[in-house]
Amino acid sequence: MNEILRVEDLTKTFKLSRKQQKIERTDRNVIVAVNQLSFTANKGEIFGLLGPNGAGKTTTLRMLSTLIHPDSGDAILDGCSVVRQPEEVRGKIGFLTSELKLEDFFTPNYLFDFFSHLHQVDEAIISERKQQMFSRFGIDKFAEVKVANLSTGMKQKLSLVISLVHNPDIIIFDEPTNGLDVLTARVVTDYLQELRSEGKTIILSTHIFSLVERLCDRVGVIIDGRMISCGTLDEVCNGLSLEDRFFEIYKEVKGGEE
Amino acid sequence: MKKGNNTWTIIKKEFARFFGDKQLLFTTVIMPGLLIYIIYTLMGSGMSKMATEGADDLVIVRVENLPESVAPLWENLPATALLQQPISEEEIENLEDKDLNEVLARFPKGFDTLVAHYSAESGELAPNVEIYYNSANNASSRVYQLLEGSLSAYEDQLSNRFDINRADSEEAYFDRANQDDVLGSILSKLIPMLILMLLFSGVMAIAPSSIAGEKERGTIATLLVTPMRRNELALGKIVSLSGIALLSGISSFIGIVLSLPKMIQADTAGIEMGLNYTSADYAVLLLTILATVLIMASMVSLLSALAKDVKNAGTMIVPFMLVVMFCGLTPMFQSGTPVGLASYLIPFYNSIQVMTSVFAHEMKWLPAIVMLASNVVYTGVAVWGLTRMFNSEKIMFSK
Ligand SMILES: Nc1ncnc2c1ncn2[C@@H]1O[C@H](COP(=O)(O)OP(=O)(O)OP(=O)(O)O)[C@@H](O)[C@H]1O
Ligand SMILES: [Mg+2]
């Protein structure tokens, strides 16, 4: 086993605004979104973070991609620390969420070049990779159409392509199928499997059991910011279906509280 | 890892965005210059009209001690009535009323004899003819020019045996026009304000959408997950925004330069604006515009980064704009520009003061340099601040 990601005691607290306190129905003015989270992922596997809404999945992945800074703890990606070497980390990963948008004004062609430059991709490689990726996702026909005029599915596929311009070894994907129709979702999940077969490591988050069962080699169940169970699918499931096992775990955790 | 220039990549993208948008290009670059040109041309022709208006009206010329030698020259001037009478100080003072179509002339007693006996070698002052008029009254200035013209021709014939309107003391004002009647001085105080406003509208048209807009639309997060450093992004944004705003500043500048001939028409038609500037004046003006644009783009970028969205950015920028506009108005309440160098450390105020001094032909190097240097320093601080903001998850990912 070849460990490529090590997450150690990652913790993140947010201050809550009044408005948020109301929404979350709590009097506390801080929320521990991620609580001493630790796990590892190996090279060439798909690791799934499974958890309900508000579990802390997005917060965790944002820390891994250095968009936000952990309060304590660290994560080492391919030898680089998110705390001490954020720029190096960003060079090694491709990060994708539905929140990351592309500027409407530009064409796929322009954006591919633009982001390739920001990732310091060699000029010689850019056009070859662009052609290959664009035809893989059927973007080639729309290469000169402004993002504003692309269909939602096409935009999603373009976002995926753009986040991978630099052919990163680690791909971090928050809710990969969120908001996609079945066809586009399938294109994306097929591509994730293809990437795995190329030896890439994929960290994804989801609340969809079937997605984990179909894609993931290993899974971490996260509830209220804490890692409750982590291992291969078989280890975590303990002979049950993932869904049944999840509710068992969920009751164990929440039962103690109430 | 090879280090390409990310700042440059960002600048190129911002320019591609800007130049690809015809409408934006028109409103920020073409329009300011065009507007200035149109306004100034209208103003210029309006002023040259003003400069000739009423010029043919009848003017009363009151003369004390009119000598026989000059009488034939003066008696038959068009649209004038010559009255021979002693002139009182009160009458001279009354001439400050620009609605009074009058010219007052005072010859020394026995002018012809004095002139005949005068010799320059004696070291004495030549006999002096005083002609009082009001340049804000077109008829009065027309007649003054006729009188003065005919007299100097006569003086030349006599090989300068007398003087016209020699200032024997500091208080000798022969032009009785009130200084405030001189349009040019108001104009030179208005132009810096106008430049400031045009630069600001240029910055306003692009900066909020480029920073707050990118935040609102979620496109800045996509930039932030690339290996680019935050300060490269901050610098790229400020430089490109300044560059674009500068284009709009240059457009205004071209508008001014092109409409200048129309203004000069007014200038030569009698309204004093003194539009003959040196190349140093122009250079300082251009540098000042550049420095002003830099600091303006920096400040608006900072506010835009703090804002949640474009609308919020607009609300936050308004108070700032008012302060800048107020600085633009300060020359109206001042006579001359401040002497203390410390005043030139205050952003916007300093640019306005330097521009005003340029237009008033009073540009001094030290204040201009203090202004330029301090603005560059402030811009550096702003780049640092914007970097901090791009680094701050509270600002970039507030919920
Ligand atoms: N910027 C923020 N400010 C304040 N609270 C936040 C912030 N980001 C996240 N939170 C809170 O932290 C908790 C974890 O949020 P997070 O988005 O990580 O959950 P998630 O597992 O991704 O949930 P979902 O399935 O809804 O996407 C939530 O209670 C959320 O309200
Ligand atoms: Mg989430």
Side-chain angles (χ1 to χ4, degrees):
Chain A
M1 282 290 168
N2 209 335
E3 181 184 296
I4 194 164
L5 166 68
R6 166 171 291 274
V7 177
E8 285 168 347
D9 291 331
L10 218 50
T11 301
K12 182 74 188 177
T13 359
F14 290 112
K15 284 207 177 63
L16 288 184
S17 60
R18 280 275 153 69
K19 208 168 89 198
Q20 253 182 301
Q21 283 180 14
K22 247 183 226 156
I23 297 169
E24 314 246 340
R25 281 194 237 102
T26 166
D27 298 331
R28 291 168 304 151
N29 55 4
V30 289
I31 180 168
V32 187
V34 175
N35 197 346
Q36 300 207 305
L37 198 77
S38 301
F39 65 93
T40 60
N42 301 314
K43 196 166 164 30
E45 74 176 10
I46 300 186
F47 184 95
L49 275 178
L50 179 70
N53 290 142
K57 305 181 295 290
T58 301
T59 307
T60 305
L61 297 190
R62 278 182 173 177
M63 284 191 280
L64 295 187
S65 60
T66 78
L67 275 180
I68 63 178
H69 320 283
D71 295 344
S72 63
D74 200 353
I76 312 295
L77 292 95
D78 199 9
C80 297
S81 147
V82 294
V83 178
R84 278 169 284 116
Q85 299 146 289
E87 278 126 36
E88 282 85 344
V89 168
R90 290 201 293 273
K92 286 177 186 294
I93 62 163
F95 180 57
L96 192 58
T97 89
S98 51
E99 301 160 320
L100 298 188
K101 298 282 170 25
L102 296 171
E103 278 187 78
D104 273 352
F105 182 81
F106 293 107
T107 62
N109 200 5
Y110 184 93
L111 288 171
F112 194 97
D113 293 347
F114 174 67
F115 282 98
S116 297
H117 290 144
L118 289 183
H119 277 285
Q120 314 291 342
V121 180
D122 266 342
E123 209 64 42
I125 302 172
I126 295 178
S127 72
E128 188 191 327
R129 185 162 167 79
K130 179 161 62 184
Q131 206 172 8
Q132 176 209 332
M133 295 283 275
F134 276 14
S135 70
R136 169 72 178 72
F137 289 96
I139 300 173
D140 37 9
K141 292 184 286 294
F142 304 96
E144 291 301 337
V145 177
K146 283 185 180 177
V147 170
N149 301 326
L150 294 178
S151 69
T152 314
M154 194 56 72
K155 274 184 203 167
Q156 294 284 352
K157 285 188 267 186
L158 179 61
S159 289
L160 174 68
V161 168
I162 294 292
S163 67
L164 302 178
V165 284
H166 53 311
N167 199 12
D169 286 334
I170 306 171
I171 294 133
I172 299 175
F173 213 151
D174 194 14
E175 313 265 7
T177 57
N178 210 6
L180 301 186
D181 68 17
V182 282
L183 290 177
T184 321
R186 188 64 192 225
V187 172
V188 171
T189 54
D190 283 354
Y191 189 62
L192 291 181
Q193 284 170 314
E194 195 179 311
L195 287 172
R196 168 171 57 189
S197 68
E198 288 169 17
K200 311 283 189 194
T201 311
I202 296 150
I203 316 292
L204 59 82
S205 82
T206 184
H207 54 264
I208 305 168
F209 300 113
S210 62
L211 193 71
V212 177
E213 284 172 327
R214 196 155 58 80
L215 285 183
C216 298
D217 302 296
R218 292 172 64 244
V219 62
V221 178
I222 164 172
I223 297 172
D224 288 344
R226 267 178 308 209
M227 187 64 87
I228 305 300
S229 175
C230 184
T232 62
L233 215 51
D234 288 340
E235 285 164 3
V236 170
C237 285
N238 212 359
L240 296 169
S241 77
L242 182 60
E243 189 170 345
D244 288 344
R245 177 63 187 142
F246 175 80
F247 281 109
E248 211 175 80
I249 297 173
Y250 191 76
K251 265 186 222 138
E252 276 168 31
V253 175
K254 288 289 183 176
E257 276 180 21
E258 277 151 47
Chain B
M1 191 166 63
K2 124 182 163 332
K3 267 267 159 219
N5 195 334
N6 290 329
T7 305
W8 181 232
T9 307
I10 293 289
I11 294 174
K12 274 193 301 192
K13 186 209 71 169
E14 294 290 327
F15 273 72
R17 167 80 186 80
F18 180 74
F19 285 106
D21 191 334
K22 300 269 164 356
Q23 199 189 334
L24 197 60
L25 194 65
F26 180 79
T27 50
T28 50
V29 175
I30 316 279
M31 215 170 64
L34 208 63
L35 262 179
I36 287 221
Y37 179 76
I38 292 171
I39 292 173
Y40 273 31
T41 305
L42 287 178
M43 248 158 73
S45 68
M47 281 187 310
S48 45
K49 204 159 107 214
M50 261 167 65
T52 49
E53 213 165 50
D56 298 329
D57 291 357
L58 181 77
V59 174
I60 297 171
V61 183
R62 301 179 196 277
V63 193
E64 185 177 320
N65 302 328
L66 181 65
E68 273 169 33
S69 56
V70 180
L73 284 174
W74 282 22
E75 267 162 357
N76 297 310
L77 294 173
T80 53
L82 202 70
L83 297 179
Q84 297 210 36
Q85 58 168 88
I87 290 174
S88 67
E89 290 307 311
E90 196 190 341
E91 276 172 317
I92 293 174
E93 243 150 63
N94 288 344
L95 205 53
E96 281 177 20
D97 176 2
K98 69 177 161 61
D99 293 330
L100 210 59
N101 289 358
E102 281 189 15
V103 174
L104 309 173
R106 186 146 64 187
F107 287 84
K109 226 181 164 100
F111 177 76
D112 285 336
T113 340
L114 284 173
V115 168
H117 292 111
Y118 178 72
S119 120
E121 283 89 69
S122 72
E124 279 171 33
L125 286 173
N128 184 29
V129 185
E130 297 166 3
I131 310 176
Y132 298 90
Y133 69 109
N134 186 323
S135 67
N137 178 310
N138 294 324
S140 172
S141 9
R142 172 187 62 95
V143 170
Y144 165 73
Q145 265 150 32
L146 289 175
L147 298 178
E148 200 263 352
S150 60
L151 261 194
S152 14
Y154 180 57
E155 181 194 5
D156 285 346
Q157 279 176 24
L158 294 177
S159 51
N160 300 326
R161 283 165 180 234
F162 67 94
D163 293 330
I164 307 163
N165 285 359
R166 187 181 63 221
D168 285 333
S169 73
E170 295 234 358
E171 288 96 64
Y173 293 119
F174 300 100
D175 177 2
R176 304 303 301 167
N178 196 321
Q179 278 308 296
D180 290 345
D181 289 336
V182 181
L183 239 170
S185 77
I186 297 179
L187 208 69
S188 77
K189 288 178 177 183
L190 264 177
I191 294 176
M193 164 83 173
L194 204 62
I195 292 178
L196 206 64
M197 269 169 61
L198 286 164
L199 294 180
F200 206 100
S201 61
V203 172
M204 271 298 275
I206 46 173
S209 77
S210 166
I211 295 187
E214 282 221 40
K215 205 169 130 180
E216 181 184 352
R217 294 187 296 269
T219 53
I220 204 130
T222 318
L223 286 176
L224 294 176
V225 292
T226 67
M228 163 178 48
R229 289 206 304 270
R230 271 50 168 154
N231 58 1
E232 295 173 318
L233 179 59
L235 189 64
K237 285 280 184 188
I238 288 182
V239 168
S240 53
L241 294 179
S242 305
I244 294 167
L246 186 67
L247 284 180
S248 99
I250 287 177
S251 151
S252 325
F253 188 75
I254 292 175
I256 294 175
V257 171
L258 287 185
S259 50
L260 222 52
K262 320 265 172 175
M263 302 286 265
I264 285 171
Q265 264 175 25
D267 197 20
T268 50
I271 294 182
E272 266 183 66
M273 289 186 294
L275 293 169
N276 47 329
Y277 296 108
T278 65
S279 44
D281 285 337
Y282 280 114
V284 168
L285 187 62
L286 209 58
L287 280 174
T288 309
I289 289 179
L290 178 64
T292 313
V293 146
L294 265 179
I295 179 115
M296 214 179 249
S298 307
M299 298 304 291
V300 173
S301 298
L302 282 178
L303 290 174
S304 301
L306 276 175
K308 279 200 299 290
D309 49 37
V310 178
K311 214 176 120 210
N312 186 223
T315 328
M316 287 172 73
I317 292 167
V318 167
F320 171 64
M321 186 180 75
L322 292 177
V323 172
V324 172
M325 293 300 113
F326 177 77
C327 290
L329 284 173
T330 50
M332 306 274 182
F333 315 122
Q334 297 171 329
S335 53
T337 47
V339 197
L341 282 180
S343 333
Y344 294 90
L345 292 172
I346 308 169
F348 302 108
Y349 179 78
N350 57 10
S351 327
I352 277 289
Q353 296 305 326
V354 170
M355 283 196 266
T356 309
S357 70
V358 167
F359 286 115
H361 299 280
E362 287 166 0
M363 192 270 289
K364 290 187 208 71
W365 285 103
L366 204 55
I369 289 165
V370 169
M371 180 276 297
L372 292 173
S374 64
N375 281 5
V376 168
V377 170
Y378 296 145
T379 305
V381 173
V383 170
W384 174 81
L386 196 58
T387 305
R388 299 269 320 231
M389 289 190 189
F390 285 149
N391 256 322
S392 159
E393 56 190 67
K394 272 205 201 66
I395 291 168
M396 300 316 291
F397 303 98
S398 60
K399 251 199 161 176

PDB file of all heavy atoms in Angstrom, chain B residues 122-145:
ATOM      1  N   SER B 122      18.240 111.389 -19.789  1.00  0.00           N
ATOM      2  CA  SER B 122      18.139 112.131 -18.535  1.00  0.00           C
ATOM      3  C   SER B 122      17.943 111.193 -17.348  1.00  0.00           C
ATOM      4  O   SER B 122      18.180 111.567 -16.212  1.00  0.00           O
ATOM      5  CB  SER B 122      16.955 113.100 -18.601  1.00  0.00           C
ATOM      6  OG  SER B 122      15.747 112.357 -18.535  1.00  0.00           O
ATOM      7  N   GLY B 123      17.516 109.964 -17.607  1.00  0.00           N
ATOM      8  CA  GLY B 123      17.320 109.005 -16.510  1.00  0.00           C
ATOM      9  C   GLY B 123      15.988 109.162 -15.838  1.00  0.00           C
ATOM     10  O   GLY B 123      15.618 108.363 -14.979  1.00  0.00           O
ATOM     11  N   GLU B 124      15.239 110.194 -16.220  1.00  0.00           N
ATOM     12  CA  GLU B 124      13.922 110.374 -15.610  1.00  0.00           C
ATOM     13  C   GLU B 124      12.910 109.447 -16.256  1.00  0.00           C
ATOM     14  O   GLU B 124      13.108 108.956 -17.363  1.00  0.00           O
ATOM     15  CB  GLU B 124      13.462 111.826 -15.805  1.00  0.00           C
ATOM     16  CG  GLU B 124      14.062 112.781 -14.816  1.00  0.00           C
ATOM     17  CD  GLU B 124      13.752 114.219 -15.208  1.00  0.00           C
ATOM     18  OE1 GLU B 124      12.669 114.454 -15.764  1.00  0.00           O
ATOM     19  OE2 GLU B 124      14.627 115.067 -14.984  1.00  0.00           O
ATOM     20  N   LEU B 125      11.802 109.218 -15.522  1.00  0.00           N
ATOM     21  CA  LEU B 125      10.737 108.398 -16.076  1.00  0.00           C
ATOM     22  C   LEU B 125      10.010 109.172 -17.163  1.00  0.00           C
ATOM     23  O   LEU B 125       9.801 110.375 -17.042  1.00  0.00           O
ATOM     24  CB  LEU B 125       9.738 108.014 -14.978  1.00  0.00           C
ATOM     25  CG  LEU B 125      10.233 106.956 -13.991  1.00  0.00           C
ATOM     26  CD1 LEU B 125       9.221 106.786 -12.863  1.00  0.00           C
ATOM     27  CD2 LEU B 125      10.498 105.639 -14.691  1.00  0.00           C
ATOM     28  N   ALA B 126       9.628 108.440 -18.212  1.00  0.00           N
ATOM     29  CA  ALA B 126       8.909 109.078 -19.307  1.00  0.00           C
ATOM     30  C   ALA B 126       7.507 109.426 -18.849  1.00  0.00           C
ATOM     31  O   ALA B 126       6.997 108.833 -17.906  1.00  0.00           O
ATOM     32  CB  ALA B 126       8.866 108.129 -20.498  1.00  0.00           C
ATOM     33  N   PRO B 127       6.868 110.418 -19.488  1.00  0.00           N
ATOM     34  CA  PRO B 127       5.476 110.717 -19.168  1.00  0.00           C
ATOM     35  C   PRO B 127       4.637 109.460 -19.364  1.00  0.00           C
ATOM     36  O   PRO B 127       4.873 108.686 -20.287  1.00  0.00           O
ATOM     37  CB  PRO B 127       5.091 111.790 -20.193  1.00  0.00           C
ATOM     38  CG  PRO B 127       6.367 112.296 -20.742  1.00  0.00           C
ATOM     39  CD  PRO B 127       7.398 111.244 -20.576  1.00  0.00           C
ATOM     40  N   ASN B 128       3.658 109.271 -18.459  1.00  0.00           N
ATOM     41  CA  ASN B 128       2.881 108.023 -18.487  1.00  0.00           C
ATOM     42  C   ASN B 128       1.409 108.315 -18.754  1.00  0.00           C
ATOM     43  O   ASN B 128       0.819 109.181 -18.136  1.00  0.00           O
ATOM     44  CB  ASN B 128       3.042 107.303 -17.136  1.00  0.00           C
ATOM     45  CG  ASN B 128       2.339 105.951 -17.131  1.00  0.00           C
ATOM     46  OD1 ASN B 128       2.207 105.325 -18.175  1.00  0.00           O
ATOM     47  ND2 ASN B 128       1.899 105.531 -15.955  1.00  0.00           N
ATOM     48  N   VAL B 129       0.819 107.556 -19.680  1.00  0.00           N
ATOM     49  CA  VAL B 129      -0.609 107.672 -19.953  1.00  0.00           C
ATOM     50  C   VAL B 129      -1.316 106.511 -19.265  1.00  0.00           C
ATOM     51  O   VAL B 129      -0.929 105.358 -19.442  1.00  0.00           O
ATOM     52  CB  VAL B 129      -0.892 107.617 -21.465  1.00  0.00           C
ATOM     53  CG1 VAL B 129      -2.373 107.872 -21.722  1.00  0.00           C
ATOM     54  CG2 VAL B 129      -0.027 108.610 -22.201  1.00  0.00           C
ATOM     55  N   GLU B 130      -2.335 106.853 -18.462  1.00  0.00           N
ATOM     56  CA  GLU B 130      -3.074 105.791 -17.773  1.00  0.00           C
ATOM     57  C   GLU B 130      -4.397 105.562 -18.476  1.00  0.00           C
ATOM     58  O   GLU B 130      -5.145 106.510 -18.712  1.00  0.00           O
ATOM     59  CB  GLU B 130      -3.335 106.198 -16.313  1.00  0.00           C
ATOM     60  CG  GLU B 130      -2.050 106.372 -15.516  1.00  0.00           C
ATOM     61  CD  GLU B 130      -2.291 107.085 -14.192  1.00  0.00           C
ATOM     62  OE1 GLU B 130      -3.469 107.382 -13.886  1.00  0.00           O
ATOM     63  OE2 GLU B 130      -1.312 107.348 -13.486  1.00  0.00           O
ATOM     64  N   ILE B 131      -4.662 104.292 -18.832  1.00  0.00           N
ATOM     65  CA  ILE B 131      -5.957 103.975 -19.448  1.00  0.00           C
ATOM     66  C   ILE B 131      -6.619 102.875 -18.615  1.00  0.00           C
ATOM     67  O   ILE B 131      -6.090 101.769 -18.510  1.00  0.00           O
ATOM     68  CB  ILE B 131      -5.800 103.488 -20.900  1.00  0.00           C
ATOM     69  CG1 ILE B 131      -4.917 104.460 -21.701  1.00  0.00           C
ATOM     70  CG2 ILE B 131      -7.166 103.338 -21.560  1.00  0.00           C
ATOM     71  CD1 ILE B 131      -4.637 103.999 -23.114  1.00  0.00           C
ATOM     72  N   TYR B 132      -7.755 103.215 -18.020  1.00  0.00           N
ATOM     73  CA  TYR B 132      -8.455 102.227 -17.195  1.00  0.00           C
ATOM     74  C   TYR B 132      -9.603 101.625 -17.982  1.00  0.00           C
ATOM     75  O   TYR B 132     -10.307 102.315 -18.702  1.00  0.00           O
ATOM     76  CB  TYR B 132      -8.996 102.880 -15.921  1.00  0.00           C
ATOM     77  CG  TYR B 132      -7.906 103.449 -15.056  1.00  0.00           C
ATOM     78  CD1 TYR B 132      -7.465 104.760 -15.213  1.00  0.00           C
ATOM     79  CD2 TYR B 132      -7.304 102.644 -14.086  1.00  0.00           C
ATOM     80  CE1 TYR B 132      -6.457 105.272 -14.432  1.00  0.00           C
ATOM     81  CE2 TYR B 132      -6.285 103.158 -13.295  1.00  0.00           C
ATOM     82  CZ  TYR B 132      -5.868 104.466 -13.460  1.00  0.00           C
ATOM     83  OH  TYR B 132      -4.866 104.965 -12.686  1.00  0.00           O
ATOM     84  N   TYR B 133      -9.769 100.297 -17.842  1.00  0.00           N
ATOM     85  CA  TYR B 133     -10.855  99.629 -18.572  1.00  0.00           C
ATOM     86  C   TYR B 133     -11.254  98.396 -17.769  1.00  0.00           C
ATOM     87  O   TYR B 133     -10.667  98.096 -16.713  1.00  0.00           O
ATOM     88  CB  TYR B 133     -10.399  99.241 -19.977  1.00  0.00           C
ATOM     89  CG  TYR B 133      -9.364  98.135 -19.996  1.00  0.00           C
ATOM     90  CD1 TYR B 133      -9.686  96.861 -20.456  1.00  0.00           C
ATOM     91  CD2 TYR B 133      -8.068  98.351 -19.516  1.00  0.00           C
ATOM     92  CE1 TYR B 133      -8.753  95.848 -20.451  1.00  0.00           C
ATOM     93  CE2 TYR B 133      -7.140  97.349 -19.500  1.00  0.00           C
ATOM     94  CZ  TYR B 133      -7.481  96.088 -19.973  1.00  0.00           C
ATOM     95  OH  TYR B 133      -6.573  95.076 -19.960  1.00  0.00           O
ATOM     96  N   ASN B 134     -12.245  97.638 -18.279  1.00  0.00           N
ATOM     97  CA  ASN B 134     -12.663  96.402 -17.609  1.00  0.00           C
ATOM     98  C   ASN B 134     -12.690  95.275 -18.632  1.00  0.00           C
ATOM     99  O   ASN B 134     -13.504  95.263 -19.548  1.00  0.00           O
ATOM    100  CB  ASN B 134     -14.048  96.594 -16.986  1.00  0.00           C
ATOM    101  CG  ASN B 134     -14.459  95.391 -16.143  1.00  0.00           C
ATOM    102  OD1 ASN B 134     -14.157  94.248 -16.497  1.00  0.00           O
ATOM    103  ND2 ASN B 134     -15.132  95.652 -15.036  1.00  0.00           N
ATOM    104  N   SER B 135     -11.778  94.293 -18.479  1.00  0.00           N
ATOM    105  CA  SER B 135     -11.665  93.241 -19.484  1.00  0.00           C
ATOM    106  C   SER B 135     -12.860  92.295 -19.469  1.00  0.00           C
ATOM    107  O   SER B 135     -13.077  91.540 -20.405  1.00  0.00           O
ATOM    108  CB  SER B 135     -10.380  92.442 -19.275  1.00  0.00           C
ATOM    109  OG  SER B 135     -10.458  91.725 -18.059  1.00  0.00           O
ATOM    110  N   ALA B 136     -13.644  92.325 -18.394  1.00  0.00           N
ATOM    111  CA  ALA B 136     -14.821  91.465 -18.347  1.00  0.00           C
ATOM    112  C   ALA B 136     -15.963  92.075 -19.160  1.00  0.00           C
ATOM    113  O   ALA B 136     -16.969  91.435 -19.405  1.00  0.00           O
ATOM    114  CB  ALA B 136     -15.262  91.234 -16.907  1.00  0.00           C
ATOM    115  N   ASN B 137     -15.781  93.355 -19.570  1.00  0.00           N
ATOM    116  CA  ASN B 137     -16.781  94.002 -20.426  1.00  0.00           C
ATOM    117  C   ASN B 137     -16.201  94.074 -21.842  1.00  0.00           C
ATOM    118  O   ASN B 137     -15.185  94.714 -22.089  1.00  0.00           O
ATOM    119  CB  ASN B 137     -17.068  95.403 -19.874  1.00  0.00           C
ATOM    120  CG  ASN B 137     -18.055  96.162 -20.728  1.00  0.00           C
ATOM    121  OD1 ASN B 137     -17.899  96.253 -21.939  1.00  0.00           O
ATOM    122  ND2 ASN B 137     -19.063  96.714 -20.082  1.00  0.00           N
ATOM    123  N   ASN B 138     -16.871  93.373 -22.775  1.00  0.00           N
ATOM    124  CA  ASN B 138     -16.293  93.231 -24.108  1.00  0.00           C
ATOM    125  C   ASN B 138     -16.148  94.568 -24.830  1.00  0.00           C
ATOM    126  O   ASN B 138     -15.167  94.794 -25.541  1.00  0.00           O
ATOM    127  CB  ASN B 138     -17.136  92.281 -24.946  1.00  0.00           C
ATOM    128  CG  ASN B 138     -17.076  90.878 -24.381  1.00  0.00           C
ATOM    129  OD1 ASN B 138     -16.027  90.460 -23.886  1.00  0.00           O
ATOM    130  ND2 ASN B 138     -18.180  90.165 -24.430  1.00  0.00           N
ATOM    131  N   ALA B 139     -17.135  95.443 -24.674  1.00  0.00           N
ATOM    132  CA  ALA B 139     -17.070  96.739 -25.352  1.00  0.00           C
ATOM    133  C   ALA B 139     -15.913  97.542 -24.797  1.00  0.00           C
ATOM    134  O   ALA B 139     -15.122  98.144 -25.535  1.00  0.00           O
ATOM    135  CB  ALA B 139     -18.386  97.482 -25.157  1.00  0.00           C
ATOM    136  N   SER B 140     -15.792  97.536 -23.466  1.00  0.00           N
ATOM    137  CA  SER B 140     -14.716  98.261 -22.813  1.00  0.00           C
ATOM    138  C   SER B 140     -13.357  97.756 -23.280  1.00  0.00           C
ATOM    139  O   SER B 140     -12.461  98.546 -23.595  1.00  0.00           O
ATOM    140  CB  SER B 140     -14.876  98.123 -21.296  1.00  0.00           C
ATOM    141  OG  SER B 140     -13.765  98.643 -20.632  1.00  0.00           O
ATOM    142  N   SER B 141     -13.183  96.428 -23.361  1.00  0.00           N
ATOM    143  CA  SER B 141     -11.866  95.952 -23.787  1.00  0.00           C
ATOM    144  C   SER B 141     -11.605  96.265 -25.252  1.00  0.00           C
ATOM    145  O   SER B 141     -10.467  96.529 -25.626  1.00  0.00           O
ATOM    146  CB  SER B 141     -11.623  94.464 -23.541  1.00  0.00           C
ATOM    147  OG  SER B 141     -12.709  93.789 -23.154  1.00  0.00           O
ATOM    148  N   ARG B 142     -12.687  96.204 -26.080  1.00  0.00           N
ATOM    149  CA  ARG B 142     -12.482  96.523 -27.497  1.00  0.00           C
ATOM    150  C   ARG B 142     -11.926  97.945 -27.639  1.00  0.00           C
ATOM    151  O   ARG B 142     -10.921  98.171 -28.309  1.00  0.00           O
ATOM    152  CB  ARG B 142     -13.798  96.402 -28.262  1.00  0.00           C
ATOM    153  CG  ARG B 142     -13.726  96.896 -29.708  1.00  0.00           C
ATOM    154  CD  ARG B 142     -15.096  96.920 -30.362  1.00  0.00           C
ATOM    155  NE  ARG B 142     -16.030  97.824 -29.690  1.00  0.00           N
ATOM    156  CZ  ARG B 142     -16.238  99.095 -30.068  1.00  0.00           C
ATOM    157  NH1 ARG B 142     -15.590  99.606 -31.082  1.00  0.00           N
ATOM    158  NH2 ARG B 142     -17.091  99.856 -29.408  1.00  0.00           N
ATOM    159  N   VAL B 143     -12.582  98.874 -26.957  1.00  0.00           N
ATOM    160  CA  VAL B 143     -12.170 100.265 -27.098  1.00  0.00           C
ATOM    161  C   VAL B 143     -10.791 100.487 -26.478  1.00  0.00           C
ATOM    162  O   VAL B 143      -9.954 101.202 -27.022  1.00  0.00           O
ATOM    163  CB  VAL B 143     -13.226 101.205 -26.480  1.00  0.00           C
ATOM    164  CG1 VAL B 143     -12.690 102.634 -26.404  1.00  0.00           C
ATOM    165  CG2 VAL B 143     -14.490 101.160 -27.307  1.00  0.00           C
ATOM    166  N   TYR B 144     -10.535  99.798 -25.357  1.00  0.00           N
ATOM    167  CA  TYR B 144      -9.205  99.915 -24.753  1.00  0.00           C
ATOM    168  C   TYR B 144      -8.143  99.511 -25.759  1.00  0.00           C
ATOM    169  O   TYR B 144      -7.134 100.183 -25.921  1.00  0.00           O
ATOM    170  CB  TYR B 144      -9.092  99.043 -23.502  1.00  0.00           C
ATOM    171  CG  TYR B 144      -7.670  98.846 -23.049  1.00  0.00           C
ATOM    172  CD1 TYR B 144      -6.975  99.890 -22.442  1.00  0.00           C
ATOM    173  CD2 TYR B 144      -7.002  97.642 -23.272  1.00  0.00           C
ATOM    174  CE1 TYR B 144      -5.653  99.734 -22.065  1.00  0.00           C
ATOM    175  CE2 TYR B 144      -5.692  97.474 -22.896  1.00  0.00           C
ATOM    176  CZ  TYR B 144      -5.015  98.518 -22.291  1.00  0.00           C
ATOM    177  OH  TYR B 144      -3.708  98.369 -21.925  1.00  0.00           O
ATOM    178  N   GLN B 145      -8.413  98.385 -26.477  1.00  0.00           N
ATOM    179  CA  GLN B 145      -7.418  97.922 -27.432  1.00  0.00           C
ATOM    180  C   GLN B 145      -7.198  98.939 -28.552  1.00  0.00           C
ATOM    181  O   GLN B 145      -6.075  99.148 -29.007  1.00  0.00           O
ATOM    182  CB  GLN B 145      -7.813  96.554 -27.986  1.00  0.00           C
ATOM    183  CG  GLN B 145      -7.138  95.432 -27.196  1.00  0.00           C
ATOM    184  CD  GLN B 145      -7.948  94.160 -27.163  1.00  0.00           C
ATOM    185  OE1 GLN B 145      -8.662  93.863 -28.110  1.00  0.00           O
ATOM    186  NE2 GLN B 145      -7.849  93.435 -26.065  1.00  0.00           N
TER     187      GLN B 145
END
